[in-house]
Amino acid sequence: MARVGVFVCHCGLNIAGVVDVKKVAEELIKEKDVVFSTTYAYMCSDPGQNLIREKIKEHRLDSVVIAACSPSMHEETFRNATRDLINPYRLEIANIREQDSWVHESKDATEKAIKITKATVEKVKSNEELEPIKIDVERKALVIGGGVAGIQAALDIADAGYEVILVEKEPSIGGRMAQLSETFPTLDCSQCILTPKMVSVARHPNIKLLTYAEVVGIDGFVGNFNVRIKKKPRYVDIDKCTACGDCEDVCTVIVPNEFEFGRKPRKAIYIPFPQAVPAAYVIDEQSCLGIAPLRCGECAKACEADAINYDMQPEYIEEKVGAIVVATGYDLYDKNNLVEYGYGEDADIITSLEFERMLSAGGPTQGKVIKPSNGKEAKKIVFIQCAGSRDKQHKPYCSSICCMYTAKHALLFKHHVEDGEAYIFYIDIRATGKNYEEFIARVMEEERINYIRGKPAKIYRQGDKIVVEGVDTLLGKSVKIEADLVVLAMAIVPRNEAKDVARLLKVAIDEHGFFKEAHPKLRPVEAVTRGIFFAGCSQAPKDIPASVAQASAAASKVIAMFSHEKLEKEPIVAMFGDACTGCRTCFYICPFNAIALDSKGKAYGIEALCEGCGVCVAACPVGNIKLPNYEDEQIKKMVEVILE
Amino acid sequence: MKKKIAMYWGAGCGGCDVSLLGVHEKLLDLLSVVDIVFWPCAMDFKYEDLEKMEDGSIDIAFYNGAIRTEENEEMAKLLRKKAKMLVAYGSCAMEGCVIGLANLYGREEIFDAIYLNNETTSDGKVPSHELPEFLPVLKTLDSVVKVDAFIPGCPPPAPVLEEALNALLNGETNFLANVALCDECPRRDSKPDKLEIKKIKRWHAVNDDGRCFLAQGIICMGLATRAGCKAECITANIPCTGCMGGIDGLSGTSTISAIASLIDGEDEEKEKEVIESIQDVIGTFFKYSTAKLLPYGRVKDES
Ligand SMILES: Cc1cc2nc3c(=O)[nH]c(=O)nc-3n(C[C@H](O)[C@H](O)[C@H](O)COP(=O)(O)OP(=O)(O)OC[C@H]3O[C@@H](n4cnc5c(N)ncnc54)[C@H](O)[C@@H]3O)c2cc1C
Ligand code: SF4
Ligand code: SF4
Ligand code: SF4
Ligand code: SF4
Ligand code: SF4
């Protein structure tokens, strides 16, 4: 015989303004097995929690129903507050706020609150007392992607004393930030603030850096992931290479340099950029003559350190890690998709990242702003914001950083070309970060940049000019600008490889391909699958401060996880009976891969992986799977009470 | 002492009575331990004969067929009174079977289709007098009287029957297999690791490659249907249609949720297309159990 206590919360007027809470308490005390009921203004407050504790002791309650807000708000709060008195799984929340008082106005709301609470009483009475499941945890983290986000996450975790494996697919870490010139709003030189961090990664005793490498397999579960990493052959031993560059001098193969978007050449043996980490050369096997049977071998002859080895093979590394941080970053939306802007056809229409390189002292023009078509200084530039963003034809979302970097671009341009003229087409200006609005104001006022509200209607070449026509919707005036250069603030999109990573990790990506967080507000850095975290632009477009902040957040989640002896896990997991016929339905549909098959083809659950979603329970055609405390019988009884 | 048994038919096709012969020579063994006191289909017994018997004097009464008329119902009640143990024999008595599909229609519609407007009738009329009343819905035996045991199947396959009879003669009522057909299906091991249905195909339109029917996109109810028949249909290369009833509730509802989980059409639109391509949903999933699904007939949409 259960002894149930019912606590009805007013939530100020949130609930009590609509629901007659007294009546709910009065009706509930009439229910079988309910031995106590009351109401209180704020159940979650300290006195509210104390009230519950006292009444449990006074009335020897073994079950508690709290009629209040959604369980996702305070279920944990209340369970923790009473953990020493009753089993947490004998406490249930009846949601009479989100599912009742907030959505109804009439007197029916009280009726509904009574039904919801009665049904919850019915459930709690037959709830089993459960204990959390304990899982071992491997105190080592994997970080995928070595942009600023991945670097920050790796450093934070490593500084806390845990081992980190940082996997970067390019020959150097650094990501996009390494390509930027100066950064808004403070105009620090991007390389200058990034390089020290890159070097710390390379030197950190707790970080194992694997560049030119990719994760090719992952299985296991939180605390116990098994990872398989493929290291592509670099043909240069990074430990021996001194980055003297002698090899580069002798190499005769010249190809476009990707880091410079092809606007500068490189050799088949190259270093991606001077500050690269690891500071070592790499041979691009596609263009090198020496890897092919007909050997060239010049670089090896030139290399005094004897670092070059044409026989290097791909290497596979297996690691066991407890947590994974995904920081695979972003790309720009392919400019060729924007046929309306004529990109690709015209050398004088470039993307924002190409413009960053043009502004960089180390870039293809040594910081000179030129017209690529003739190499002459560009005097008049049109910047186009939201190129591909906020556009249903392309990407419906806001890329969030283009307003800021375009302002920066215009400002830096004016610093480079004093008599230059800059025009910016924009839809709105979104400058919500700290000191961002001030930065925009400064650009607008001090630098006298011409902001034109509207989208350009037409872009075409006329002689050696690019003509941009549009309407300034603020002035209601049409504008026509004959520009030397057009810079497109292209939409930020996830890297192509992100979907492969998502597939390997079995985590969700959103409709645009960004990694999907467990909860957009309350769990913004973690995946639904436990032990996997997101940082930087892989989760959504964001600037450097936000990327770094999210990386630190992800790292602290990992550190918090590692600080426990064992991981605890909700015991609401699928339980398998012995009626399984091996139909594999559950095995196929479990979104968390928490089901395996034994040698006879019968299904069993992997507790540590199961999230208790219940999908398999509904799907099993023979009713062989149950979720404790969500048994059919309990649910039927709840429905009966509601239909009474 | 020999056990006294009775066998009666309600609304059914007669296949169940015949199925008793399907146990072949075992029937002789059976006859050596029982006395048949009532079996109108096989021997000349009259209603009065049964009425005269003492209450509870029959050891086991088997009732096959569903309850469609007042007479069926009366006989079911009478047998209940006369028998110590009443057994629902076959799918009709247990779940209403194929004739239960009639619960999708009202009495008028049924009479109209049978007696008036069909291709082989002209000047038809609905017979009206001297006949037991046709009930508004078809009922299963257990919705009319208490039933002690069920022998599933349409009709009960020989292996099921043998096991059932052995058990019942020993006073055992709990003899049904508790696993689904897949468990004893010869095609089970051909199930691919990841079972996904991209297209639903009908059995006659597929060149059967011998693998699990589901893997070929053919709806097979073996997933949710009680084992015991030794996969008779599958062995004859025909997917299971579920005559043995479900393991966990109705096999139809279970199969629907399982199959819905297995459909993989990449996006929601395509998945909807796949689902909508299923022909005759009720006839496919509830061929034998519509009377259980709709015990009160179809509730007409009032809006
Ligand atoms: C034109 C432009 C100007 C900008 N200017 C500014 C500015 O002034 N100030 C500012 O705050 N922000 C600026 N930003 C934004 C800034 O670039 C980003 O916020 C930041 O670079 C995000 O870092 P990240 O680590 O998330 O991604 P990335 O820098 O993209 O790094 C991702 C890394 O992951 C690696 N990777 C990807 N997939 C895999 C894989 N499968 N396996 C292994 N490794 C992988 C990539 O090679 C890369 O190294 C600008 C952006 C643009 C486009
Ligand atoms: S071996 Fe390859 S990298 Fe070295 S010099 Fe020859 S082409 Fe260049
Ligand atoms: S409850 Fe959900 S997560 Fe757990 S085994 Fe079933 S389908 Fe997988
Ligand atoms: S769905 Fe049920 S019967 Fe099928 S494999 Fe899973 S547990 Fe076994
Ligand atoms: S689904 Fe049908 S064919 Fe497949 S294993 Fe089960 S019974 Fe056999
Ligand atoms: S395979 Fe299915 S339809 Fe055929 S006899 Fe067995 S249970 Fe009945």
Side-chain angles (χ1 to χ4, degrees):
Chain A
M1 203 52 20
R3 295 181 63 82
V4 186
V6 175
F7 298 82
V8 187
C9 182
H10 297 213
C11 194
L13 286 179
N14 270 305
I15 295 171
V18 184
V19 170
D20 180 348
V21 285
K22 277 237 146 49
K23 173 129 192 261
V24 177
E26 280 161 23
E27 282 301 312
L28 263 295
I29 193 74
K30 297 180 194 156
E31 284 292 289
K32 186 163 167 281
D33 300 331
V34 174
V35 294
F36 175 78
S37 83
T38 188
T39 74
Y40 189 72
Y42 292 102
M43 227 35 113
C44 59
S45 65
D46 212 30
Q49 295 188 26
N50 279 335
L51 173 80
I52 299 168
R53 288 182 58 85
E54 262 149 41
K55 296 300 168 188
I56 292 176
K57 286 186 251 175
E58 186 183 327
H59 296 273
R60 287 176 295 113
L61 303 177
D62 62 10
S63 317
V64 165
V65 169
I66 298 169
C69 52
S70 157
S72 63
M73 293 292 301
H74 284 314
E75 185 182 79
E76 216 181 308
T77 316
F78 291 123
R79 284 185 173 173
N80 283 338
T82 54
R83 197 170 280 274
D84 55 327
L85 302 174
I86 56 169
N87 183 282
Y89 297 91
R90 297 291 298 217
L91 182 148
E92 289 274 357
I93 306 285
N95 181 353
I96 60 166
R97 195 179 77 172
E98 285 81 346
Q99 290 181 357
D100 189 12
S101 71
W102 277 3
V103 288
H104 300 293
E105 277 166 10
S106 67
K107 61 172 173 21
D108 296 347
T110 303
E111 196 62 23
K112 185 171 173 184
I114 293 169
K115 290 199 162 190
I116 294 174
T117 315
K118 276 188 185 173
T120 314
V121 166
E122 210 44 62
K123 175 176 192 296
V124 85
K125 282 200 286 194
S126 45
N127 268 5
E128 274 174 61
E129 300 201 342
L130 302 171
E131 292 302 329
I133 295 166
K134 307 257 187 209
I135 322 173
D136 288 328
V137 50
E138 178 75 37
R139 287 179 183 73
K140 193 194 265 188
L142 168 72
V143 177
I144 307 176
V148 67
I151 289 174
Q152 186 66 42
L155 286 173
D156 283 1
I157 300 168
D159 283 344
Y162 302 110
E163 270 180 75
V164 179
I165 299 152
L166 175 57
V167 175
E168 166 58 55
K169 74 173 170 37
E170 298 296 331
S172 170
I173 54 172
R176 293 288 176 209
M177 190 174 164
Q179 289 176 301
L180 304 181
S181 54
E182 287 159 38
T183 55
F184 63 75
T186 45
L187 301 183
D188 307 279
C189 142
S190 188
Q191 277 290 0
C192 316
I193 54 177
L194 181 64
T195 310
K197 279 193 184 286
M198 291 167 58
V199 174
S200 311
V201 167
R203 298 224 172 114
H204 208 297
N206 286 340
I207 299 180
K208 179 164 166 187
L209 176 59
L210 301 172
T211 50
Y212 220 38
E214 267 168 89
V215 174
V216 290
I218 295 179
D219 56 32
F221 44 88
V222 61
N224 302 272
F225 295 105
N226 298 307
V227 195
R228 197 169 147 82
I229 300 159
K230 177 184 176 185
K231 263 186 86 180
K232 291 175 275 185
R234 187 179 182 116
Y235 305 106
V236 175
D237 186 333
I238 54 174
D239 296 328
K240 291 185 187 160
C241 178
T242 57
C244 66
D246 291 348
C247 54
E248 190 178 359
D249 295 340
V250 299
C251 180
T252 53
V253 181
I254 298 174
V255 288
N257 185 346
E258 309 70 0
F259 189 79
E260 306 292 356
F261 302 100
R263 295 194 184 273
K264 205 174 164 181
R266 65 160 169 82
K267 298 289 182 68
I269 187 160
Y270 70 105
I271 187 158
F273 51 96
Q275 304 87 335
V277 167
Y281 275 67
V282 52
I283 293 181
D284 154 23
E285 62 176 21
Q286 299 299 329
S287 48
C288 165
L289 307 169
I291 315 292
L294 248 183
R295 295 227 153 150
C296 148
E298 289 304 319
C299 55
K301 278 184 233 156
C303 179
E304 279 180 19
D306 198 17
I308 297 170
N309 169 9
Y310 303 119
D311 298 323
M312 249 185 216
Q313 295 297 322
E315 200 184 321
Y316 289 89
I317 299 166
E318 311 265 342
E319 289 280 359
K320 187 166 180 200
V321 299
I324 300 173
V325 178
V326 181
T328 49
Y330 71 95
D331 250 325
L332 293 186
Y333 186 48
D334 188 350
K335 52 226 176 188
N336 292 316
N337 291 334
L338 291 190
V339 275
E340 55 264 48
Y341 293 132
Y343 190 95
E345 288 154 36
D346 206 305
D348 294 338
I349 304 179
I350 65 172
T351 70
S352 47
L353 272 176
E354 286 174 76
F355 193 64
E356 289 283 343
R357 292 312 300 150
M358 201 183 259
L359 292 170
S360 297
T365 59
Q366 289 86 41
K368 280 209 268 309
V369 182
I370 58 153
K371 269 173 86 67
S373 63
N374 61 13
K376 289 201 192 121
E377 190 173 60
K379 293 278 189 204
K380 207 189 249 189
I381 304 190
V382 171
F383 295 93
I384 299 174
Q385 291 191 186
C386 300
S389 303
R390 305 176 69 192
D391 182 341
K392 290 213 174 69
Q393 304 272 310
H394 300 285
K395 300 290 165 188
Y397 54 84
C398 166
S399 289
S400 131
I401 53 177
C402 321
C403 293
M404 288 306 295
Y405 73 60
T406 301
K408 171 188 80 175
H409 284 171
L411 176 141
L412 292 176
F413 164 59
K414 295 280 275 192
H415 289 184
H416 284 70
V417 184
E418 267 177 26
D419 57 344
E421 279 176 58
Y423 297 84
I424 300 179
F425 279 90
Y426 71 103
I427 306 181
D428 313 286
I429 297 297
R430 298 183 168 174
T432 52
K434 188 169 173 178
N435 295 329
Y436 284 12
E437 182 59 25
E438 296 87 327
F439 181 76
I440 296 276
R442 176 177 151 207
V443 171
M444 284 186 175
E445 286 152 25
E446 287 174 27
E447 309 293 340
R448 286 191 312 276
I449 309 292
N450 304 292
Y451 271 84
I452 303 167
R453 181 167 184 168
K455 279 206 147 185
K458 229 167 150 190
I459 304 178
Y460 54 94
R461 176 168 282 274
Q462 200 168 67
D464 72 343
K465 300 287 182 195
I466 306 281
V467 184
V468 183
E469 287 184 18
V471 177
D472 187 326
T473 55
L474 282 185
L475 303 176
K477 217 170 60 179
S478 51
V479 285
K480 180 171 170 185
I481 302 152
E482 294 181 2
D484 295 317
L485 186 67
V486 172
V487 178
L488 303 175
M490 295 301 308
I492 301 282
V493 297
R495 299 246 180 190
N496 237 341
E497 301 88 346
K499 51 180 184 306
D500 303 325
V501 175
R503 197 174 32 77
L504 281 175
L505 291 171
K506 290 141 199 145
V507 297
I509 47 179
D510 67 17
E511 71 226 269
H512 308 302
F514 292 108
F515 287 96
K516 200 167 175 174
E517 61 281 5
H519 189 286
K521 290 174 231 169
L522 302 178
R523 295 168 67 193
V525 305
E526 49 202 297
V528 174
T529 311
R530 283 225 300 167
I532 299 178
F533 305 90
F534 305 127
C537 291
S538 61
Q539 179 257 346
K542 51 176 76 72
D543 56 23
I544 296 164
S547 297
V548 170
Q550 196 181 19
S552 288
S556 63
K557 289 264 169 196
V558 172
I559 295 164
M561 208 176 109
F562 288 177
S563 69
H564 288 100
E565 183 69 26
K566 295 240 179 197
L567 296 182
E568 283 204 349
K569 178 172 186 316
E570 275 276 323
I572 312 266
V573 295
M575 309 286 255
F576 290 68
D578 47 18
C580 174
T581 52
C583 77
R584 301 193 193 179
T585 305
C586 57
F587 177 68
Y588 173 55
I589 55 152
C590 172
F592 301 98
N593 284 291
I595 296 173
L597 301 172
D598 68 13
S599 59
K600 291 197 192 111
K602 312 244 163 178
Y604 65 92
I606 305 166
E607 272 187 348
L609 278 180
C610 174
E611 292 286 332
C613 71
V615 168
C616 60
V617 179
C620 174
V622 298
N624 188 43
I625 316 176
K626 302 213 172 331
L627 270 188
N629 294 352
Y630 290 90
E631 303 257 356
D632 286 0
E633 276 316 308
Q634 288 181 290
I635 293 168
K636 274 189 213 153
K637 271 195 208 147
M638 292 175 78
V639 173
E640 269 165 29
V641 167
I642 288 168
L643 294 181
E644 248 167 31
Chain B
M1 237 218 347
K2 283 191 174 184
K3 295 233 176 198
K4 289 187 182 143
I5 67 166
M7 173 86 150
Y8 188 72
W9 54 356
C13 68
C16 279
D17 290 282
V18 177
S19 71
L20 203 47
L21 305 174
V23 296
H24 303 296
E25 62 281 354
K26 297 253 166 60
L27 189 62
L28 298 174
D29 300 345
L30 179 68
L31 290 175
S32 67
V33 292
V34 302
D35 267 335
I36 298 180
V37 295
F38 188 69
W39 189 4
C41 169
M43 293 168 240
D44 189 16
F45 287 107
K46 293 280 179 300
Y47 177 78
E48 299 83 63
D49 298 332
L50 180 61
E51 222 175 18
K52 270 186 242 142
M53 289 182 203
E54 240 173 74
D55 286 0
S57 62
I58 303 174
D59 289 301
I60 310 171
F62 296 97
Y63 187 103
N64 73 69
I67 311 290
R68 179 76 265 189
T69 65
E70 261 181 357
E71 185 255 359
N72 299 152
E73 187 161 349
E74 205 180 310
M75 283 301 287
K77 287 183 177 154
L78 188 58
L79 276 166
R80 175 70 276 184
K81 214 156 80 182
K82 303 293 171 193
K84 289 199 187 75
M85 191 190 277
L86 179 65
V87 179
Y89 186 112
S91 172
C92 286
M94 181 166 149
E95 296 197 298
C97 202
V98 178
I99 49 171
L101 287 164
N103 280 5
L104 292 169
Y105 304 95
R107 211 160 32 170
E108 309 309 297
E109 287 167 285
I110 295 170
F111 286 172
D112 185 72
I114 290 175
Y115 298 112
L116 304 173
N117 292 311
N118 70 54
E119 302 216 339
T120 53
T121 306
S122 58
D123 291 336
K125 73 177 206 289
V126 179
S128 55
H129 53 99
E130 304 273 332
L131 284 174
E133 182 71 8
F134 189 89
L135 301 173
V137 288
L138 180 135
K139 301 183 202 171
T140 57
L141 186 63
D142 67 347
S143 68
V144 176
V145 290
K146 180 177 166 281
V147 175
D148 302 302
F150 297 87
I151 307 179
C154 174
V160 177
L161 201 51
E162 272 172 38
E163 202 171 322
L165 292 176
N166 276 336
L168 288 168
L169 290 172
N170 289 318
E172 248 320 311
T173 53
N174 199 1
F175 48 78
L176 294 182
N178 231 347
V179 287
L181 183 66
C182 289
D183 202 52
E184 61 185 19
C185 173
R187 297 188 180 214
R188 190 188 99 156
D189 293 337
S190 63
K191 264 199 182 135
D193 256 10
K194 288 272 160 184
L195 196 58
E196 45 191 357
I197 302 179
K198 290 203 183 311
K199 210 172 161 191
I200 301 270
K201 297 178 200 141
R202 298 183 74 189
W203 168 75
H204 60 264
V206 172
N207 196 351
D208 183 2
D209 62 16
R211 284 182 307 144
C212 163
F213 285 113
L214 282 176
Q216 303 185 59
I218 300 167
I219 293 174
C220 180
M221 302 270 293
L223 279 177
T225 301
R226 192 178 301 286
C229 66
K230 302 282 177 281
E232 279 187 347
C233 298
I234 315 272
T235 312
N237 298 326
I238 294 173
C240 171
T241 53
C243 77
M244 291 278 290
I247 284 285
D248 179 41
L250 298 186
S251 57
T253 39
S254 308
T255 311
I256 286 175
S257 49
I259 287 189
S261 318
L262 297 174
I263 288 176
D264 177 22
E266 277 141 41
D267 60 52
E268 238 173 83
E269 267 313 300
K270 284 206 203 98
E271 289 183 354
K272 217 170 136 203
E273 256 171 53
V274 178
I275 289 169
E276 278 167 6
S277 75
I278 300 177
Q279 309 265 329
D280 184 13
V281 172
I282 296 272
T284 303
F285 295 108
F286 301 96
K287 186 170 176 178
Y288 303 97
S289 59
T290 304
K292 281 276 180 200
L293 183 71
L294 304 171
Y296 308 109
R298 195 169 63 179
V299 180
K300 289 263 155 60
D301 189 353
E302 277 167 25
S303 59

